[in-house]
Amino acid sequence: MSQVDLFYRFGAALVIGMLIGLEREYAGQPDAQLFAGVRTFALIALSGCAAALVSSSIGTPFAFVAVFLVLGALLSVAYFVAAGRNDVGLTTEVSALLT
């Protein structure tokens, strides 16, 4: 894989993550505290892209699955913290996991 392909893949992941984060920031309540915004979603998308690259390079999906499980655990903690504040929405957490 050439460096140009890597640049396009990581660039596309960054743009997609930023767009999702931007939408989640503006979809929230004005005084609500979201756990993720533009920067967090961009980092989540880049980590997913890096995990997919590593999985592709080594020929096994274990790296991608490991990142997915760690992210799922962190998002579960974020949901339970938000649920403790009586904020029971799950859309941001699910969109972060899918990013």
Coordinates of all heavy atoms in Angstrom, one line a residue:
M1 N 0.9 -1.2 0.0 CA 0.0 0.0 0.0 C 0.9 1.2 0.0 O 1.8 1.3 0.8 CB -0.9 0.0 1.2 CG -1.8 1.1 1.3 SD -3.0 1.1 2.7 CE -3.7 -0.5 2.6
S2 N 0.6 2.2 -0.9 CA 1.4 3.4 -1.0 C 1.1 4.4 0.1 O 0.0 4.3 0.7 CB 1.2 4.0 -2.4 OG -0.1 4.6 -2.5
Q3 N 2.0 5.3 0.2 CA 1.7 6.4 1.2 C 0.5 7.3 0.8 O -0.1 7.8 1.7 CB 3.0 7.2 1.4 CG 4.1 6.5 2.0 CD 5.3 7.4 2.2 OE1 5.4 8.5 1.7 NE2 6.3 6.9 3.0
V4 N 0.3 7.4 -0.4 CA -0.9 8.2 -0.9 C -2.2 7.5 -0.5 O -3.1 8.2 0.0 CB -0.8 8.4 -2.4 CG1 -2.1 9.1 -2.9 CG2 0.4 9.2 -2.8
D5 N -2.2 6.2 -0.6 CA -3.4 5.4 -0.2 C -3.6 5.6 1.3 O -4.7 5.8 1.8 CB -3.3 3.9 -0.5 CG -3.6 3.6 -2.0 OD1 -4.2 4.5 -2.6 OD2 -3.1 2.6 -2.4
L6 N -2.5 5.5 2.1 CA -2.6 5.7 3.5 C -3.1 7.1 3.9 O -4.0 7.3 4.8 CB -1.3 5.5 4.2 CG -0.8 4.0 4.3 CD1 0.5 4.0 5.0 CD2 -1.8 3.2 5.2
F7 N -2.6 8.1 3.2 CA -3.1 9.5 3.4 C -4.6 9.6 3.1 O -5.3 10.2 3.9 CB -2.3 10.4 2.5 CG -2.7 11.8 2.6 CD1 -2.3 12.6 3.7 CD2 -3.4 12.4 1.7 CE1 -2.6 13.9 3.9 CE2 -3.8 13.8 1.8 CZ -3.4 14.5 2.9
Y8 N -5.0 9.0 2.0 CA -6.5 9.1 1.7 C -7.3 8.4 2.7 O -8.4 8.9 3.1 CB -6.7 8.6 0.3 CG -6.3 9.6 -0.8 CD1 -5.7 9.1 -1.9 CD2 -6.5 10.9 -0.7 CE1 -5.3 10.0 -2.9 CE2 -6.1 11.8 -1.7 CZ -5.5 11.3 -2.8 OH -5.1 12.2 -3.8
R9 N -6.9 7.2 3.1 CA -7.7 6.4 4.1 C -7.8 7.1 5.4 O -8.8 7.2 6.0 CB -7.1 5.0 4.2 CG -7.3 4.2 3.0 CD -6.8 2.8 3.2 NE -6.9 2.0 2.0 CZ -6.9 0.8 1.9 NH1 -6.8 0.0 3.0 NH2 -7.1 0.1 0.7
F10 N -6.6 7.6 5.9 CA -6.7 8.2 7.2 C -7.3 9.6 7.1 O -8.0 10.0 8.1 CB -5.2 8.4 7.8 CG -4.8 7.1 8.5 CD1 -4.1 6.1 7.8 CD2 -5.0 6.9 9.9 CE1 -3.7 5.0 8.4 CE2 -4.6 5.8 10.5 CZ -3.9 4.8 9.8
G11 N -7.2 10.3 6.0 CA -7.9 11.5 5.8 C -9.4 11.4 5.7 O -10.1 12.1 6.3
A12 N -9.8 10.3 5.1 CA -11.3 10.0 5.0 C -11.8 9.7 6.4 O -12.9 10.1 6.8 CB -11.6 8.9 4.0
A13 N -11.1 8.9 7.1 CA -11.5 8.5 8.5 C -11.6 9.8 9.4 O -12.5 10.0 10.1 CB -10.5 7.5 9.1
L14 N -10.6 10.7 9.2 CA -10.6 11.9 10.0 C -11.8 12.8 9.7 O -12.5 13.3 10.6 CB -9.3 12.7 9.8 CG -9.1 14.0 10.5 CD1 -9.0 13.7 12.0 CD2 -7.8 14.7 10.1
V15 N -12.1 13.0 8.4 CA -13.2 13.8 8.0 C -14.5 13.2 8.4 O -15.4 13.9 8.9 CB -13.2 14.0 6.4 CG1 -14.5 14.6 5.9 CG2 -12.0 14.9 6.1
I16 N -14.7 11.9 8.3 CA -15.9 11.2 8.7 C -16.1 11.4 10.2 O -17.2 11.7 10.7 CB -15.9 9.7 8.3 CG1 -16.1 9.6 6.8 CG2 -17.0 9.0 9.0 CD1 -15.8 8.3 6.2
G17 N -15.0 11.1 11.0 CA -15.1 11.3 12.4 C -15.4 12.7 12.9 O -16.3 13.0 13.8
M18 N -14.9 13.7 12.2 CA -15.2 15.1 12.5 C -16.6 15.5 12.2 O -17.2 16.2 12.9 CB -14.2 16.0 11.8 CG -12.8 15.9 12.3 SD -11.6 16.9 11.4 CE -12.1 18.5 11.9
L19 N -17.1 15.0 11.0 CA -18.5 15.3 10.7 C -19.5 14.6 11.7 O -20.5 15.3 12.0 CB -18.8 14.8 9.3 CG -18.1 15.6 8.1 CD1 -18.4 14.9 6.8 CD2 -18.7 17.0 8.1
I20 N -19.2 13.4 12.1 CA -20.1 12.8 13.1 C -20.0 13.5 14.4 O -21.0 13.8 15.0 CB -19.7 11.3 13.2 CG1 -20.0 10.5 11.9 CG2 -20.5 10.7 14.4 CD1 -19.5 9.1 11.9
G21 N -18.8 13.9 14.8 CA -18.7 14.7 16.1 C -19.3 16.0 16.0 O -20.0 16.5 17.0
L22 N -19.2 16.7 14.9 CA -19.9 18.0 14.7 C -21.4 17.8 14.8 O -22.1 18.6 15.4 CB -19.5 18.6 13.3 CG -19.8 20.0 13.1 CD1 -18.9 20.9 14.0 CD2 -19.5 20.4 11.7
E23 N -21.9 16.8 14.2 CA -23.4 16.6 14.2 C -23.8 16.2 15.7 O -24.9 16.7 16.1 CB -23.8 15.4 13.3 CG -25.3 15.2 13.1 CD -25.9 14.5 14.2 OE1 -25.3 13.6 14.8 OE2 -27.1 14.8 14.5
R24 N -23.1 15.5 16.4 CA -23.4 15.1 17.8 C -23.4 16.3 18.7 O -24.1 16.4 19.6 CB -22.5 14.0 18.3 CG -22.7 12.6 17.6 CD -24.1 12.1 17.5 NE -24.9 12.2 18.7 CZ -26.2 12.4 18.8 NH1 -26.9 12.5 17.7 NH2 -26.8 12.4 19.9
E25 N -22.4 17.2 18.4 CA -22.3 18.4 19.2 C -23.6 19.3 19.0 O -24.1 19.9 20.0 CB -21.1 19.2 18.9 CG -19.8 18.7 19.6 CD -18.6 19.6 19.4 OE1 -18.8 20.7 18.8 OE2 -17.6 19.2 19.9
Y26 N -24.0 19.5 17.8 CA -25.1 20.4 17.5 C -26.4 19.7 17.7 O -27.4 20.4 17.9 CB -25.0 20.9 16.1 CG -23.9 21.9 15.9 CD1 -22.8 21.7 15.1 CD2 -24.0 23.1 16.6 CE1 -21.8 22.6 15.0 CE2 -22.9 24.0 16.5 CZ -21.9 23.8 15.7 OH -20.9 24.7 15.6
A27 N -26.5 18.4 17.8 CA -27.8 17.7 18.1 C -28.1 17.7 19.6 O -29.2 17.5 20.0 CB -27.7 16.3 17.6
G28 N -27.1 18.0 20.4 CA -27.3 17.9 21.9 C -28.0 19.2 22.4 O -28.2 20.1 21.7
Q29 N -28.4 19.1 23.6 CA -29.0 20.2 24.3 C -28.0 21.3 24.5 O -26.8 21.0 24.7 CB -29.6 19.8 25.6 CG -30.6 18.6 25.5 CD -31.9 19.1 24.7 OE1 -32.2 20.2 24.7 NE2 -32.5 18.1 24.1
P30 N -28.4 22.6 24.6 CA -27.4 23.6 24.7 C -26.6 23.6 26.0 O -25.4 23.9 26.1 CB -28.2 24.9 24.7 CG -29.5 24.5 24.1 CD -29.7 23.1 24.3
D31 N -27.2 23.1 27.1 CA -26.6 23.1 28.4 C -26.1 21.7 28.8 O -25.6 21.5 29.9 CB -27.5 23.7 29.5 CG -28.8 22.9 29.6 OD1 -29.1 22.1 28.7 OD2 -29.5 23.2 30.6
A32 N -26.3 20.7 27.9 CA -25.9 19.3 28.3 C -24.4 19.1 28.1 O -23.8 19.8 27.3 CB -26.7 18.3 27.3
Q33 N -23.9 18.2 28.9 CA -22.5 17.8 28.8 C -22.4 16.5 28.0 O -22.7 15.5 28.5 CB -21.9 17.7 30.2 CG -21.9 18.9 31.0 CD -21.3 18.7 32.4 OE1 -21.1 17.6 32.8 NE2 -20.9 19.8 33.1
L34 N -21.9 16.6 26.8 CA -21.6 15.4 26.0 C -20.2 14.9 26.4 O -19.3 15.7 26.6 CB -21.7 15.8 24.5 CG -23.1 16.2 24.0 CD1 -22.9 16.6 22.5 CD2 -24.1 15.1 24.1
F35 N -20.1 13.6 26.3 CA -18.8 13.0 26.6 C -17.9 13.1 25.3 O -16.7 12.9 25.4 CB -18.9 11.6 27.1 CG -19.1 10.6 26.0 CD1 -18.0 9.9 25.6 CD2 -20.3 10.3 25.4 CE1 -18.1 8.9 24.6 CE2 -20.4 9.4 24.4 CZ -19.3 8.7 24.0
A36 N -18.5 13.3 24.2 CA -17.7 13.3 22.9 C -18.1 14.4 22.0 O -19.3 14.7 21.9 CB -17.8 11.9 22.2
G37 N -17.2 14.9 21.3 CA -17.4 16.0 20.3 C -16.6 15.7 19.1 O -16.3 14.6 18.8
V38 N -16.3 16.8 18.4 CA -15.5 16.7 17.2 C -14.2 16.1 17.4 O -13.8 15.1 16.6 CB -15.3 18.1 16.6 CG1 -14.4 18.1 15.3 CG2 -16.7 18.7 16.2
R39 N -13.4 16.5 18.4 CA -12.1 15.9 18.6 C -12.1 14.4 19.0 O -11.3 13.6 18.5 CB -11.3 16.7 19.7 CG -11.1 18.1 19.2 CD -10.4 18.9 20.3 NE -11.4 19.0 21.4 CZ -11.3 19.6 22.5 NH1 -10.1 20.2 22.8 NH2 -12.2 19.7 23.5
T40 N -13.1 14.1 19.9 CA -13.1 12.7 20.3 C -13.6 11.8 19.2 O -13.0 10.7 19.0 CB -14.1 12.6 21.5 OG1 -13.7 13.5 22.5 CG2 -14.1 11.2 22.1
F41 N -14.6 12.2 18.4 CA -15.0 11.3 17.3 C -13.9 11.2 16.2 O -13.7 10.2 15.6 CB -16.3 11.8 16.7 CG -17.5 11.3 17.4 CD1 -18.1 12.1 18.3 CD2 -18.0 10.1 17.1 CE1 -19.3 11.7 19.0 CE2 -19.2 9.6 17.7 CZ -19.8 10.4 18.7
A42 N -13.1 12.3 16.0 CA -12.0 12.2 15.1 C -11.0 11.2 15.5 O -10.5 10.4 14.8 CB -11.4 13.6 14.9
L43 N -10.7 11.2 16.8 CA -9.7 10.3 17.4 C -10.2 8.8 17.3 O -9.5 7.9 17.1 CB -9.3 10.7 18.8 CG -8.5 11.9 19.0 CD1 -8.3 12.3 20.4 CD2 -7.1 11.7 18.3
I44 N -11.5 8.7 17.6 CA -12.1 7.3 17.5 C -12.0 6.8 16.1 O -11.6 5.6 15.8 CB -13.6 7.3 18.0 CG1 -13.6 7.5 19.5 CG2 -14.3 6.1 17.6 CD1 -15.0 7.8 20.1
A45 N -12.3 7.7 15.1 CA -12.2 7.2 13.7 C -10.8 6.9 13.3 O -10.6 5.9 12.6 CB -12.8 8.3 12.8
L46 N -9.8 7.7 13.7 CA -8.4 7.4 13.4 C -7.9 6.1 14.1 O -7.2 5.4 13.5 CB -7.6 8.6 13.8 CG -7.7 9.8 12.9 CD1 -6.8 11.0 13.5 CD2 -7.2 9.5 11.5
S47 N -8.4 5.9 15.3 CA -8.0 4.6 15.9 C -8.6 3.4 15.2 O -8.0 2.4 15.1 CB -8.3 4.6 17.4 OG -9.7 4.7 17.6
G48 N -9.8 3.6 14.8 CA -10.4 2.5 14.0 C -9.7 2.2 12.7 O -9.5 1.1 12.3
C49 N -9.3 3.3 12.0 CA -8.6 3.2 10.8 C -7.2 2.5 11.0 O -6.8 1.7 10.3 CB -8.4 4.6 10.1 SG -7.6 4.5 8.5
A50 N -6.5 2.9 12.1 CA -5.2 2.3 12.4 C -5.4 0.9 12.8 O -4.6 0.0 12.4 CB -4.6 3.1 13.6
A51 N -6.4 0.5 13.5 CA -6.7 -0.9 13.9 C -7.0 -1.7 12.6 O -6.5 -2.9 12.5 CB -7.8 -1.0 14.8
A52 N -7.7 -1.2 11.7 CA -8.0 -1.9 10.4 C -6.7 -2.1 9.6 O -6.5 -3.1 9.0 CB -9.0 -1.1 9.6
L53 N -5.9 -1.1 9.6 CA -4.6 -1.2 8.9 C -3.7 -2.2 9.5 O -3.1 -3.0 8.8 CB -3.9 0.2 8.9 CG -2.5 0.2 8.2 CD1 -2.6 0.0 6.7 CD2 -1.8 1.5 8.5
V54 N -3.6 -2.2 10.8 CA -2.8 -3.3 11.5 C -3.4 -4.6 11.2 O -2.6 -5.6 11.0 CB -2.7 -3.0 13.0 CG1 -2.1 -4.1 13.8 CG2 -1.9 -1.7 13.2
S55 N -4.7 -4.8 11.3 CA -5.3 -6.1 11.1 C -5.1 -6.6 9.7 O -4.8 -7.7 9.4 CB -6.8 -6.0 11.4 OG -7.0 -5.8 12.7
S56 N -5.1 -5.6 8.7 CA -4.9 -6.0 7.4 C -3.4 -6.4 7.1 O -3.1 -7.3 6.4 CB -5.2 -4.8 6.5 OG -4.9 -5.1 5.1
S57 N -2.5 -5.7 7.8 CA -1.1 -6.0 7.7 C -0.7 -7.3 8.3 O 0.1 -8.0 7.7 CB -0.2 -4.9 8.4 OG -0.4 -3.7 7.7
I58 N -1.2 -7.7 9.4 CA -0.9 -9.0 10.0 C -1.7 -10.1 9.6 O -1.4 -11.3 9.9 CB -0.8 -8.9 11.6 CG1 -2.2 -8.5 12.1 CG2 0.2 -7.9 12.0 CD1 -2.3 -8.5 13.6
G59 N -2.8 -9.8 8.9 CA -3.6 -10.9 8.3 C -4.6 -11.5 9.2 O -5.2 -12.6 8.9
T60 N -4.9 -10.9 10.4 CA -5.8 -11.4 11.3 C -6.6 -10.3 11.9 O -6.1 -9.2 12.1 CB -5.1 -12.2 12.4 OG1 -6.1 -12.8 13.3 CG2 -4.1 -11.4 13.2
P61 N -7.9 -10.5 12.3 CA -8.7 -9.4 12.8 C -8.5 -9.1 14.3 O -9.3 -8.3 14.8 CB -10.1 -9.9 12.5 CG -10.0 -11.3 12.6 CD -8.7 -11.7 12.0
F62 N -7.5 -9.7 14.9 CA -7.4 -9.6 16.4 C -7.2 -8.1 16.8 O -7.7 -7.7 17.9 CB -6.3 -10.5 16.9 CG -6.7 -11.9 16.8 CD1 -5.8 -12.9 16.4 CD2 -8.0 -12.4 17.2 CE1 -6.1 -14.2 16.3 CE2 -8.3 -13.7 17.1 CZ -7.4 -14.6 16.6
A63 N -6.4 -7.4 16.1 CA -6.1 -6.0 16.5 C -7.4 -5.1 16.4 O -7.7 -4.3 17.3 CB -5.0 -5.4 15.6
F64 N -8.1 -5.3 15.3 CA -9.4 -4.6 15.2 C -10.4 -5.0 16.3 O -11.0 -4.1 16.9 CB -10.0 -4.8 13.8 CG -11.2 -4.0 13.5 CD1 -11.0 -2.6 13.2 CD2 -12.5 -4.5 13.6 CE1 -12.1 -1.8 13.0 CE2 -13.6 -3.7 13.3 CZ -13.4 -2.3 13.0
V65 N -10.5 -6.2 16.6 CA -11.4 -6.7 17.6 C -11.0 -6.2 19.0 O -11.8 -5.8 19.8 CB -11.5 -8.3 17.6 CG1 -12.2 -8.8 18.8 CG2 -12.2 -8.7 16.3
A66 N -9.7 -6.1 19.2 CA -9.2 -5.6 20.5 C -9.5 -4.2 20.7 O -10.0 -3.7 21.8 CB -7.7 -5.8 20.6
V67 N -9.3 -3.4 19.7 CA -9.7 -1.9 19.7 C -11.2 -1.8 19.9 O -11.6 -0.9 20.7 CB -9.1 -1.2 18.5 CG1 -9.7 0.2 18.4 CG2 -7.6 -1.1 18.5
F68 N -12.0 -2.6 19.2 CA -13.4 -2.5 19.3 C -13.9 -2.8 20.7 O -14.8 -2.2 21.2 CB -14.0 -3.5 18.3 CG -15.5 -3.3 18.1 CD1 -16.0 -2.3 17.3 CD2 -16.4 -4.2 18.7 CE1 -17.4 -2.1 17.2 CE2 -17.8 -4.1 18.5 CZ -18.3 -3.0 17.8
L69 N -13.3 -3.9 21.3 CA -13.7 -4.2 22.7 C -13.3 -3.2 23.7 O -14.1 -2.9 24.6 CB -13.1 -5.6 23.0 CG -13.7 -6.8 22.3 CD1 -12.9 -8.0 22.7 CD2 -15.2 -6.9 22.6
V70 N -12.1 -2.6 23.6 CA -11.7 -1.6 24.5 C -12.6 -0.3 24.4 O -13.0 0.2 25.4 CB -10.2 -1.2 24.2 CG1 -9.8 0.1 25.0 CG2 -9.3 -2.4 24.7
L71 N -12.8 0.0 23.1 CA -13.7 1.2 22.9 C -15.1 0.9 23.4 O -15.7 1.8 24.1 CB -13.8 1.5 21.4 CG -14.6 2.8 21.1 CD1 -14.0 4.0 21.7 CD2 -14.6 2.9 19.6
G72 N -15.6 -0.3 23.2 CA -16.9 -0.7 23.8 C -17.0 -0.6 25.3 O -18.0 -0.1 25.9
A73 N -15.9 -1.0 26.0 CA -15.8 -0.9 27.4 C -15.8 0.5 27.9 O -16.5 0.9 28.8 CB -14.6 -1.7 27.9
L74 N -15.1 1.4 27.2 CA -15.0 2.8 27.6 C -16.4 3.5 27.4 O -16.8 4.3 28.2 CB -13.9 3.5 26.8 CG -12.5 3.1 27.2 CD1 -11.5 3.8 26.2 CD2 -12.2 3.6 28.6
L75 N -17.0 3.1 26.3 CA -18.3 3.7 26.0 C -19.4 3.2 27.0 O -20.3 3.9 27.3 CB -18.8 3.4 24.6 CG -17.9 4.1 23.5 CD1 -18.3 3.6 22.1 CD2 -18.1 5.6 23.6
S76 N -19.3 2.0 27.5 CA -20.2 1.4 28.5 C -20.0 2.2 29.8 O -21.0 2.6 30.4 CB -19.9 0.0 28.7 OG -20.2 -0.8 27.6
V77 N -18.8 2.5 30.1 CA -18.6 3.3 31.3 C -19.1 4.7 31.2 O -19.8 5.3 32.1 CB -17.0 3.4 31.7 CG1 -16.8 4.4 32.7 CG2 -16.5 2.0 32.1
A78 N -18.9 5.3 30.0 CA -19.5 6.7 29.7 C -21.0 6.6 29.8 O -21.6 7.6 30.3 CB -19.0 7.1 28.3
Y79 N -21.6 5.6 29.3 CA -23.1 5.5 29.3 C -23.6 5.4 30.8 O -24.5 6.1 31.2 CB -23.6 4.3 28.5 CG -25.1 4.1 28.7 CD1 -26.0 5.0 28.1 CD2 -25.6 3.1 29.5 CE1 -27.4 4.9 28.3 CE2 -26.9 3.0 29.7 CZ -27.8 3.8 29.1 OH -29.2 3.7 29.3
F80 N -22.9 4.6 31.6 CA -23.4 4.4 33.0 C -23.2 5.7 33.8 O -23.9 6.0 34.7 CB -22.7 3.2 33.6 CG -23.3 1.9 33.1 CD1 -22.5 1.0 32.5 CD2 -24.6 1.6 33.3 CE1 -23.0 -0.2 32.0 CE2 -25.2 0.4 32.9 CZ -24.3 -0.5 32.2
V81 N -22.1 6.5 33.5 CA -21.9 7.7 34.1 C -23.0 8.7 33.7 O -23.6 9.4 34.6 CB -20.5 8.3 33.8 CG1 -20.4 9.8 34.2 CG2 -19.4 7.5 34.5
A82 N -23.3 8.7 32.4 CA -24.4 9.6 32.0 C -25.8 9.2 32.5 O -26.6 10.0 32.8 CB -24.4 9.7 30.4
A83 N -26.0 7.9 32.6 CA -27.3 7.4 33.2 C -27.4 7.8 34.6 O -28.5 8.0 35.1 CB -27.4 5.9 33.0
G84 N -26.3 7.9 35.3 CA -26.3 8.3 36.7 C -26.8 9.8 36.9 O -27.3 10.2 37.9
R85 N -26.6 10.6 35.8 CA -27.1 12.0 35.8 C -28.4 12.1 35.2 O -28.9 13.2 34.8 CB -26.1 12.8 35.0 CG -24.7 12.9 35.6 CD -23.9 13.9 34.8 NE -24.0 13.7 33.3 CZ -22.9 13.6 32.5 NH1 -21.7 13.6 33.0 NH2 -23.1 13.4 31.3
N86 N -29.2 11.0 35.0 CA -30.5 10.9 34.5 C -30.5 11.3 33.0 O -31.5 11.9 32.5 CB -31.5 11.7 35.3 CG -31.8 11.1 36.6 OD1 -31.8 9.9 36.8 ND2 -32.0 12.0 37.6
D87 N -29.4 11.1 32.3 CA -29.3 11.3 30.9 C -29.2 10.0 30.2 O -28.2 9.4 30.1 CB -28.1 12.2 30.5 CG -28.0 12.5 29.1 OD1 -29.0 12.4 28.3 OD2 -26.9 12.8 28.6
V88 N -30.4 9.4 29.8 CA -30.4 8.0 29.4 C -30.4 7.9 27.9 O -30.7 6.8 27.3 CB -31.7 7.3 29.9 CG1 -31.6 7.2 31.4 CG2 -33.0 8.1 29.5
G89 N -30.0 8.9 27.1 CA -29.8 8.8 25.7 C -28.6 7.9 25.3 O -27.6 7.9 26.0
L90 N -28.7 7.1 24.3 CA -27.7 6.2 23.9 C -27.2 6.4 22.5 O -26.3 5.8 22.1 CB -28.3 4.7 24.0 CG -27.3 3.6 23.9 CD1 -26.3 3.6 25.1 CD2 -28.1 2.3 24.0
T91 N -27.7 7.4 21.9 CA -27.3 7.7 20.5 C -25.9 8.0 20.3 O -25.2 7.5 19.4 CB -28.2 8.8 19.9 OG1 -29.6 8.5 20.1 CG2 -28.0 9.0 18.4
T92 N -25.3 8.9 21.1 CA -23.9 9.3 21.0 C -23.0 8.1 21.2 O -22.0 7.9 20.5 CB -23.6 10.4 22.0 OG1 -24.5 11.5 21.8 CG2 -22.2 10.9 21.8
E93 N -23.3 7.3 22.2 CA -22.4 6.1 22.5 C -22.5 5.1 21.3 O -21.4 4.6 20.9 CB -22.8 5.4 23.8 CG -22.5 6.2 25.0 CD -23.5 7.3 25.4 OE1 -24.5 7.4 24.6 OE2 -23.3 7.9 26.4
V94 N -23.6 4.9 20.8 CA -23.8 3.9 19.6 C -23.1 4.5 18.4 O -22.4 3.8 17.7 CB -25.2 3.6 19.4 CG1 -25.4 2.8 18.1 CG2 -25.8 2.8 20.5
S95 N -23.2 5.8 18.1 CA -22.6 6.4 17.0 C -21.1 6.4 17.1 O -20.3 6.2 16.2 CB -23.1 7.8 16.7 OG -22.8 8.6 17.8
A96 N -20.6 6.5 18.4 CA -19.1 6.4 18.6 C -18.6 5.0 18.3 O -17.6 4.8 17.7 CB -18.8 6.9 20.0
L97 N -19.4 4.0 18.7 CA -19.0 2.6 18.5 C -19.0 2.3 17.0 O -18.1 1.6 16.5 CB -19.9 1.7 19.3 CG -19.4 0.2 19.4 CD1 -18.1 0.2 20.1 CD2 -20.5 -0.5 20.2
L98 N -19.9 2.8 16.3 CA -20.0 2.6 14.8 C -19.0 3.4 14.1 O -18.6 3.0 12.9 CB -21.4 2.9 14.3 CG -22.5 1.9 14.8 CD1 -23.9 2.4 14.3 CD2 -22.2 0.5 14.4
T99 N -18.5 4.5 14.6 CA -17.5 5.3 13.9 C -16.2 4.5 13.8 O -15.6 4.5 12.8 CB -17.3 6.6 14.7 OG1 -18.5 7.3 14.7 CG2 -16.2 7.4 14.0

